[in-house]
Amino acid sequence: MQNSKKSKLKKMKNIKSIIILFILGFSIAGCDKFLEEDFRSGITTDNFFNNDGEAQLAVNGLYNLLHSTNTYTTRGLDNFYQNGTDENGPSRNVNGTIFNYYVAEGVADGNGTWSVLYSLARNSSLFLNSIDGNDKISDGVQKQAVGEILFLRSLAYYHLTNIWGDVPYFRELLSVEELSVIGRTDQNLIKSDMKTDLERAYSLLPVSYSGSDLGRPTKWAAAMLKAKFHILDEEWAQTKAACDDVINNSPHVLLDHYADVFDQSDPANQYNDEHIWAVDFTSNAVNGNFQSKRTDDYNPRIRDEPANRNARPGGDGTPSNLELFQALLKEQNEDMTGYGWSVPLPEIARQENWEDGDMRYDATIVTEHLGFQLTHPYFRKNWNLDQEHSLRGNHPENYIVFRLADTYLMAAEAENNLNGPEGAYSYVNAVRARAFEPDKPWSGMSKDQFNIALRNERKYELSAEGHRKMDLIRWGILVETIQTTEQRAWNNPASNIKPHHIHWPIPLAEIELNPNLLDSDPTNNGYR
């Protein structure tokens, strides 16, 4: 799959239409408290969903919510899935509330993310009810629109149940009175419904897109999200079936070189055949919402780099390391203008902790640049120093949500838990084949040995991609892992993490609006 400059321009025109739609009140994404609006008033099937164009415009509007700072644009979802694991942490004393597990009711409790995800769930339900079965919309447009909406609503509840466990759940639009007293629903019921919805989404969505439609979910994205739900519930047969379908029947393939998976240096060619689904970003967006700021967390600050920046290797009166370094950066049209917030923790940053010969290390970790030693290690796979196409606060890099290597590793885990390692080796060895030269395939393991080894394989293959926290949680080893991970001097998560930290507390702002949210669990996930 390839993008193009022409398709990017076309996408920008579509964005303008989306903005108009939101100004008209089609979305309430700016609302901070999801109980404060009566969502059954406003646009209905009778006064808006009258043709294909209006249905497509409605679906396009939903994607705006994925570009919120509380979801994929900055560290919104990364705070729940990436920060506070054994892979990355802050390069200085910042974001400590999240990383050090000081979260409490009303303190970094995710209220902004909660609001955006419920906007997505709520608007998806409105649009689904208005489009599905609407005889004013053509069959082809209706099928794709319904498939996309089902996927996006399932994505919203995937994040909501992962982060908060039992949460308010509705599939029809409720009145403000109903929302003000709604309680929490067992997450298992919600996830069961989402798996069913994703089966239908799979049947409706196309196998691929091109041009300006890149970034929409295909049937393979629906299969991947369904597999994610299944693996969290240790439903191994269903996990493997979904993964095998993607591996055997989709157009996606593993790239020959690991670094190429993350190469987005050309904004006109951001997609590749390993990406199953990504949240699409572009620079110079007309309303400031469609460019990524997440890259800035992984880009260094020039005030930090290089190491020994004030030293003058040529002696007194000669340029300092900083001056020499900046000159070389300028020659390559690069600069270090990021925040430097998210860097590898010491253990993963040291090459000796990786398996001998693992070529993924150099593609993942960078400790020197242009011949200069850096003060901090960084995630090379997530940085972009390009000062022509990727400026601070204005990055076009896509957020890669699902890619094929993850599919292979999930299939391997599922097969091992179903039948032992013999049938699982082929899956994990397909991923390892490009990581080592010569190959280092697995063999001769017991079932337990395979599962333990796979934990490290996922850590190194998928580092800093937003999978680690849920992996540690579903394996039941989050607390012990954090307590034994080497940290830096300004962090102390090992002293603070407790078993209840597998979930966040329901946001205090929501409880104040609706005390019934505590009826099924007065402890609020153990935070009271």
Side-chain angles (χ1 to χ4, degrees), residues 147 197-206 218-220 222-223 245 249:
D197 282 354
L198 286 165
E199 289 179 3
R200 187 180 179 208
Y202 175 92
S203 72
L204 297 172
L205 290 168
T218 63
K219 64 171 61 263
W220 316 116
D245 188 22
N249 300 316

Side-chain angles (χ1 to χ4, degrees), residues 275-291:
H275 298 174
I276 296 173
W277 185 61
V279 177
D280 190 86
F281 287 94
T282 186
S283 57
N284 302 316
V286 293
N287 72 336
N289 286 339
F290 291 85
Q291 63 262 39

Side-chain angles (χ1 to χ4, degrees), residues 120-345:
L120 182 56
R122 166 177 80 233
N123 289 332
S124 294
S125 294
L126 167 63
F127 299 166
L128 185 64
N129 293 341
S130 301
I131 294 173
D132 196 10
N134 185 340
D135 59 11
K136 298 177 181 178
I137 301 169
S138 68
D139 184 63
V141 169
Q142 187 175 146
K143 284 181 178 179
Q144 181 172 322
V146 170
E148 290 182 74
I149 293 168
L150 288 170
F151 174 87
L152 291 170
R153 185 172 67 178
S154 298
L155 182 71
Y157 280 115
Y158 173 78
H159 292 314
L160 287 164
T161 53
N162 284 348
I163 298 168
W164 290 282
D166 297 347
V167 292
Y169 177 52
F170 46 85
R171 298 171 65 85
E172 304 289 336
L173 270 296
L174 304 180
S175 69
V176 66
E177 291 81 10
E178 292 168 319
L179 285 169
S180 67
V181 296
I182 192 172
R184 298 167 70 179
T185 296
D186 185 335
Q187 62 177 309
N188 293 312
L189 172 61
I190 300 172
K191 291 190 287 187
S192 178
D193 283 353
M194 294 306 103
K195 294 166 192 172
T196 301
D197 282 354
L198 286 165
E199 289 179 3
R200 187 180 179 208
Y202 175 92
S203 72
L204 297 172
L205 290 168
V207 298
S208 63
Y209 295 100
S210 61
S212 62
D213 287 327
L214 291 171
R216 297 182 188 275
T218 63
K219 64 171 61 263
W220 316 116
M224 273 295 289
L225 182 54
K226 186 169 178 284
K228 287 291 185 182
F229 275 113
H230 286 308
I231 202 168
L232 288 172
D233 290 336
E234 297 187 350
E235 295 170 342
W236 303 119
Q238 295 93 326
T239 300
K240 185 172 182 295
C243 290
D244 279 342
D245 188 22
V246 176
I247 292 168
N248 296 326
N249 300 316
S250 81
H252 300 288
V253 296
L254 295 171
L255 300 190
D256 292 335
H257 302 288
Y258 183 77
D260 291 346
V261 178
F262 312 100
D263 182 6
Q264 298 191 57
S265 57
D266 180 0
N269 293 284
Q270 293 176 289
Y271 291 89
N272 61 61
D273 288 341
E274 190 164 328
H275 298 174
I276 296 173
W277 185 61
V279 177
D280 190 86
F281 287 94
T282 186
S283 57
N284 302 316
V286 293
N287 72 336
N289 286 339
F290 291 85
Q291 63 262 39
S292 176
K293 301 176 182 65
R294 180 176 184 254
T295 305
D296 289 322
D297 277 359
Y298 292 92
N299 279 354
R301 301 187 303 173
I302 194 60
R303 73 181 70 179
D304 294 334
E305 304 301 343
N308 300 316
R309 56 197 276 116
N310 296 319
R312 299 183 183 275
D316 292 343
T318 63
S320 67
N321 280 335
L322 173 60
E323 292 167 329
L324 294 169
F325 187 52
Q326 285 187 314
L328 289 175
L329 287 171
K330 187 175 181 179
E331 286 180 10
Q332 298 202 165
N333 202 21
E334 292 183 345
D335 203 354
M336 293 185 169
T337 59
Y339 309 143
W341 273 38
S342 190
V343 301
L345 290 176

